Amino acid sequence: MRVTCAVVGGDTHDLELDAEATYGDVLAAVGLSTQEASVLVDGSPVPEDRPVDADSVRVLRLVKGG
């Protein structure tokens, strides 16, 4: 499945994911962990273990820097 992932304040990624991928897999594909970012679908956060059901998502980084 193809998903477009826009990281807020960063790059947009075109991802090719397995059919059973979760939103946690989306974060991993763009190099982020579930502790530092959330996936938004239609402006609302979704759980990391939910199967991907959207073809376009936004990722909001909660933690940046150190």
Side-chain angles (χ1 to χ4, degrees), residues 34-60:
T34 57
Q35 289 80 27
E36 66 181 321
S38 289
V39 178
L40 306 175
V41 174
D42 295 327
S44 297
V46 292
E48 67 184 78
D49 60 350
R50 178 173 151 183
V52 176
D53 58 358
D55 59 359
S56 179
V57 301
R58 293 183 73 176
V59 170
L60 179 62

Side-chain angles (χ1 to χ4, degrees), residues 2 11 20 39 58:
R2 182 165 285 255
D11 296 329
E20 56 277 342
V39 178
R58 293 183 73 176

Side-chain angles (χ1 to χ4, degrees), residues 6-50:
V7 179
V8 175
D11 296 329
T12 298
H13 305 268
D14 289 319
L15 306 174
E16 191 64 42
L17 301 171
D18 293 334
E20 56 277 342
T22 65
Y23 287 107
D25 297 326
V26 170
L27 290 175
V30 296
L32 298 171
S33 73
T34 57
Q35 289 80 27
E36 66 181 321
S38 289
V39 178
L40 306 175
V41 174
D42 295 327
S44 297
V46 292
E48 67 184 78
D49 60 350
R50 178 173 151 183

